[in-house]
Amino acid sequence: MNFGLSDEQEMIVSTVREFVEREIYPHEAEVERTGEVPHDVAQEIKRKVIDLGFYACNFPEEVGGAGLSHLDFALVERELGRGSMALTHFFGRPQNILMACEGDQKDRYLLPAVRGERMDALAMTEPEAGSDVRGMSCTARRDGGDWVVNGTKHFISGADHADFFIVFVATGVDETPKGPKKRITCFLVDRGHPGFTVREGYRSVSHRGYKNCILEFDDCRLSDAQVLGAVDGGFEVMNTWLYATRITVATMSVGRARRVFDHALSYAAERKQFGQQIGKFQGVSFQIADMITEIDAADWLTLSAAWRLDQGLPANREIASAKLYASEMLARVTDATLQIHGGMGLMDDYPIERFWRDARVERIWDGTSEIQRHIISRDLLRPLGA
């Protein structure tokens, strides 16, 4: 077992970390204050990432990406986790699911996304269908040679900047011994398509500037050319490609936790009470010890899950474990860091209260903690007939 990084991986880590510190950190306070990413800032970040050769680095070289392995890309995401998500969004990591594009879809969606010419957004969640994906009520029905889509999606991250959308909708129902079971199909939908509207979503206390939107379909007609994957094959497409989103949450949680920990460590070493640094009190020093132990554990758990993917090994449970543990670890680390800072931790003079707010959503999106526990437990119990 070799736990060391190669020279190339060390270069990836240092390059991305330096980029985040130089190009992302300086804009964070303004984005936090306004809730907006200025257009020129977004385009400048994208341009510099393209020049650096890291745009769409999660895609294989044959389509214009950097061809990074799952482990290498996890290292990229870990470092991006240190920065504001509203800003690192423009570092450019299109959804891996676009590799399912075929024929003209490649020229229309996949390749422009990889080149940074078009941005995508993933749309699954609905007001009445979050964790219960099969509960979605957004539907597409056949009408002649087209599909007619009606319904609503919400909590769609990055939709305000997206040029097209990867949308999952119900396209039928099968009767099974366990009751009705909806069939799901994935569609590619362009912004501005007739019958399709993108409007402002909800104001979130987490990740300000990284907005969510509401998508509305009103008799939106789509052709078969807009189907990604097979008709009624949405779950197959989803299960093949969307594991990457859970690894992203895990790795970014680790990166953010390390940045938060640096604040806790520095404050504990500098802040004095009762005539000495507060880090000399066990009430603080033991928290510091627990924090770094949990961060390291989450880091290795996440990187090992990415490594399993590279080896072609089953990794569903391991990815779920990484997402679960890393996101909950981040919550504990940010809360402990705020406690170490005392009242000042809640003031916007420090970024601690922002990290604390941002951490809360990681246990919800891309599969709640409860869903991850379900995946883990079923993986263990199903082979035993339980």
Side-chain angles (χ1 to χ4, degrees), residues 54-231:
F54 272 87
Y55 201 90
C57 59
N58 53 320
F59 278 74
E61 292 182 75
E62 57 263 30
V63 297
L68 297 187
S69 67
H70 292 290
L71 178 55
D72 292 344
F73 184 58
L75 296 173
V76 171
E77 293 281 48
R78 188 182 70 184
E79 298 311 312
L80 292 178
R82 292 174 174 268
S84 160
M85 185 168 284
L87 292 159
T88 59
H89 176 65
F90 298 97
F91 198 89
R93 292 95 75 211
Q95 296 288 338
N96 286 37
I97 199 171
L98 290 174
M99 285 300 294
C101 284
E102 297 180 349
D104 293 341
Q105 292 177 344
K106 294 180 180 180
D107 291 326
R108 188 172 175 183
Y109 300 105
L110 171 61
L111 298 180
V114 171
R115 292 192 296 260
E117 296 165 0
R118 305 189 76 194
M119 295 193 77
D120 61 293
L122 186 68
M124 282 194 291
T125 305
E126 299 179 9
E128 301 301 324
S131 297
D132 179 17
V133 177
R134 285 197 188 274
M136 63 176 60
S137 57
C138 187
T139 60
R141 60 176 176 79
R142 276 290 192 188
D143 183 39
D146 293 335
W147 294 92
V148 179
V149 184
N150 284 283
T152 300
K153 299 287 181 181
H154 77 163
F155 292 156
I156 309 306
S157 301
D160 51 329
H161 297 287
D163 300 293
F164 68 93
F165 299 79
I166 304 161
V167 185
F168 289 83
V169 300
T171 46
V173 179
D174 290 326
E175 294 299 330
T176 73
K178 295 183 178 181
K181 185 177 180 181
K182 290 183 179 178
R183 300 193 300 271
I184 307 296
T185 300
C186 183
F187 290 89
L188 296 165
V189 187
D190 294 289
R191 179 184 288 275
H193 192 88
F196 174 51
T197 305
V198 181
R199 62 182 179 88
E200 189 173 343
Y202 315 98
R203 182 173 172 82
S204 175
V205 301
S206 295
H207 299 299
R208 286 179 179 163
Y210 184 63
K211 298 183 179 181
N212 67 85
C213 292
I214 296 170
L215 312 185
E216 294 179 338
F217 297 88
D218 183 11
D219 286 339
C220 177
R221 301 185 74 90
L222 301 174
S223 69
D224 280 333
Q226 302 306 109
V227 174
L228 183 63
V231 172

Side-chain angles (χ1 to χ4, degrees), residues 246-257:
R246 285 183 280 150
I247 289 186
T248 291
V249 173
T251 53
M252 296 188 83
S253 292
V254 171
R256 195 165 298 119

Side-chain angles (χ1 to χ4, degrees), residues 255-286:
R256 195 165 298 119
R258 290 204 183 279
R259 182 178 178 187
V260 172
F261 176 77
D262 288 344
H263 283 277
L265 188 62
S266 297
Y267 196 79
E270 296 168 2
R271 171 72 168 166
K272 288 186 177 181
Q273 288 287 280
F274 304 102
Q276 63 181 359
Q277 294 102 323
I278 61 173
K280 290 185 177 181
F281 296 102
Q282 287 186 347
V284 173
S285 65
F286 281 14

